Amino acid sequence: MKNYNIDTKCVQGGYRPGNGEPRQIPIIQSTTFKYESSSDMGKLFDLEASGYFYSRLQNPTNDYVAAKICELEGGTAAMLTSSGQAASFYSVFNIASAGDHVIASSAIYGGTYNLFAVTMKRMGIDFTFVSPNISEEELDKAFRPNTKAVFGETIANPALVVLDIEKFAKVAHKNGVPLIIDNTFATPVNCRPFEFGADIVTHSTTKYIDGHGSGVGGCIVDSGKFDWTKYPEKFPGLCTPDESYHGVTYTERFGLEGAYITKATAQLMRDLGSIQSPQNAYLVNLGIESLHVRMKRHCENGLAVARFLKSDNRISWVTYPGLEGSEDEELVKKYLPNGSCGVVSFGVKGGRSAAEKFMAGLKIAAIETHVADARSCCLHPASATHRQMSDEELIAAGVLPDLVRFSCGLESSEDLINDIRSALDNI
């Protein structure tokens, strides 16, 4: 499918049924798999043969869907996880451990910020958070001898800041580490970070990729381009023998194209078990089949709502990637020429209390801890997803205390605007 348009890959990528096989991806709802001999199974445990033996590590349904997302992103290997949070955790923990350091953009999802700043810090991994607008020179100064990766989001959730992927990739590579990009909001339909120098891409498939609020999940995709073997002292987990698999060296056995994902599957998924259920993977695939169609509508609605909000004097500010005159206008043209997402962030005059009254007056958009769905929804992050952060931390992350995140679904833009207007009238 390499030479096909991304629209065709959304529909037909990943799964190639043979003669007489199911046309739709089959749901292999089985925890385990049968083999004729112990030696056959032993080869799987030694990573000497491909196959399945226990769904805590791998499952055929999951692999079909992961292969589709891999094709959409232009990667060489991919794996599904139980959630986007698991994908973010695995993507970093696969190459960083106690005593190591990671650089992350400060404008990232609040749950990811907490994962990095609190939970993984307790595991001994130190994180430095930098402004997405940091200069190359200042970014370079943030690196330490023990820095193992740089992490950012294509479109920050919920600040909607667009990351300069090429800048971050350039400085990361200068310092011998990979750039990990969470591409959840843009999806591969609107941005393919590998084309701009990123090395690893993650997704919360719960969002646009699923698109219907039907299943929680995540995905990690490897570009296969980062040369781990140039820095064996930085990445011993990939470049030295793994005694838990009889001394296999992942880069030697699976090459640059497969080492990273194989290690994450064989080691992290084996021990931590954050597997996506086959049923959820099946639902994710159904969502992907319409992703290229849905994203166009999401973006159309997002821009229409952003323009309306900008024109209403009851709104103090509006942020939307692609809105005329936005600070990220040049970055949007470069990275998101065909559209960004359906999420609009804005402030209601009157602060937190006014924002809460506004949301209570909405009829179509529901207040949910969710985003990027076929149905419109909204959230006040400072009271929900980012409530663990102080006002100072909120501002540093680009999440103002009065911020409302409005996720435009697939409804009529006229109805959405009327719903917003009516809610503003009721404040």
Side-chain angles (χ1 to χ4, degrees):
M1 300 290 291
K2 184 176 181 180
N3 297 321
Y4 286 96
N5 188 284
I6 198 165
D7 296 12
T8 302
K9 292 178 182 178
C10 282
V11 179
Q12 299 212 20
Y15 175 60
R16 315 279 191 273
N19 188 43
E21 294 183 342
R23 184 63 192 89
Q24 180 56 280
I25 287 178
I27 303 172
I28 310 299
Q29 195 67 45
S30 179
T31 60
T32 191
F33 302 82
K34 175 184 176 292
Y35 286 89
E36 295 297 328
S37 69
S38 294
S39 61
D40 287 339
M41 183 173 284
K43 292 177 182 178
L44 299 177
F45 279 91
D46 290 344
L47 303 181
E48 293 177 353
S50 60
Y52 304 92
F53 51 87
Y54 199 56
S55 278
R56 191 182 74 226
L57 281 87
Q58 283 181 289
N59 176 280
T61 306
N62 292 20
D63 282 357
Y64 290 138
V65 180
K68 174 177 280 192
I69 298 173
C70 188
E71 288 185 11
L72 293 176
E73 287 288 6
T76 59
M79 64 187 291
L80 297 188
T81 61
S82 58
S83 67
Q85 280 290 85
S88 295
F89 172 64
Y90 279 21
S91 71
V92 174
F93 196 60
N94 199 35
I95 51 177
S97 56
D100 289 336
H101 172 249
V102 175
I103 295 170
S105 168
S106 60
I108 54 176
Y109 169 57
T112 308
Y113 180 93
N114 197 65
L115 168 67
F116 291 167
V118 179
T119 302
M120 294 187 76
K121 185 176 181 179
R122 290 173 60 194
M123 298 170 68
I125 303 174
D126 193 20
F127 285 81
T128 295
F129 295 93
V130 301
S131 167
N133 300 317
I134 194 172
S135 67
E136 288 186 22
E137 294 74 22
E138 288 301 312
L139 179 57
D140 190 53
K141 292 177 183 177
F143 283 81
R144 305 174 189 173
N146 62 338
T147 302
K148 297 299 178 71
V150 179
F151 186 98
E153 295 179 0
T154 306
I155 304 173
N157 173 17
L160 301 180
V161 175
V162 178
L163 193 74
D164 190 342
I165 299 172
E166 281 192 338
K167 176 179 71 177
F168 275 74
K170 177 182 177 182
V171 182
H173 296 161
K174 175 185 175 183
N175 288 275
V177 303
L179 174 62
I180 303 171
I181 291 292
D182 182 332
N183 199 33
T184 296
F185 267 20
T187 82
V189 169
N190 285 338
C191 182
R192 285 157 50 102
F194 293 155
E195 296 176 357
F196 301 100
D199 303 288
I200 309 293
V201 160
T202 66
H203 286 279
S204 169
T205 61
T206 317
K207 309 304 190 298
Y208 285 123
I209 285 183
D210 174 305
H212 300 85
S214 56
V216 176
C219 184
I220 308 173
V221 186
D222 182 13
S223 69
K225 295 178 181 178
F226 190 83
D227 191 350
W228 311 101
T229 62
K230 287 178 65 176
Y231 315 99
E233 72 289 347
K234 277 184 177 288
F235 307 106
L238 289 163
C239 301
T240 59
D242 179 357
E243 296 308 322
S244 70
Y245 276 108
H246 305 290
V248 64
T249 299
Y250 294 102
T251 49
E252 291 180 1
R253 178 76 63 83
F254 303 101
L256 299 182
E257 295 80 7
Y260 178 90
I261 292 296
T262 302
K263 177 180 179 295
T265 301
Q267 202 180 77
L268 300 188
M269 195 65 82
R270 173 198 64 192
D271 295 342
L272 300 173
S274 301
I275 193 74
Q276 187 170 145
S277 76
Q279 179 68 53
N280 278 6
Y282 176 84
L283 295 173
V284 165
N285 182 65
L286 291 181
I288 296 175
E289 289 179 353
S290 64
L291 180 64
H292 57 297
V293 180
R294 289 186 289 106
M295 286 308 295
K296 292 178 183 178
R297 182 58 174 262
H298 283 299
C299 293
E300 290 171 359
N301 283 353
L303 184 57
V305 166
R307 285 171 172 167
F308 165 75
L309 291 167
K310 189 177 181 180
S311 70
D312 195 296
N313 60 14
R314 293 167 292 185
I315 301 299
S316 53
W317 58 271
V318 183
T319 299
Y320 178 74
L323 183 63
E324 297 82 1
S326 68
E327 294 182 4
D328 293 337
E329 193 167 6
E330 293 305 312
L331 292 176
V332 170
K333 289 179 181 177
K334 179 177 181 177
Y335 297 113
L336 303 159
N338 299 317
S340 54
C341 63
V343 182
V344 184
S345 291
F346 58 94
V348 180
K349 287 182 179 178
R352 290 188 184 225
S353 61
E356 291 174 0
K357 289 179 182 177
F358 161 76
M359 293 196 298
L362 293 167
K363 303 298 185 213
I364 295 177
I367 300 174
E368 299 178 13
T369 309
H370 190 41
V371 70
D373 192 87
R375 293 161 292 273
S376 292
C377 55
C378 69
L379 188 74
H380 181 225
S383 301
T385 55
H386 290 63
R387 68 180 297 116
Q388 76 279 4
M389 300 169 70
S390 66
D391 279 2
E392 291 75 19
E393 289 173 329
L394 286 169
I395 293 169
V399 183
L400 298 178
D402 66 343
L403 183 151
V404 172
R405 183 186 71 184
F406 193 97
S407 177
C408 300
L410 303 179
E411 303 93 347
S412 158
S413 61
E414 180 182 0
D415 289 340
L416 292 179
I417 290 170
N418 286 336
D419 191 34
I420 292 170
R421 182 185 289 112
S422 176
L424 289 170
D425 290 341
N426 289 331
I427 295 177

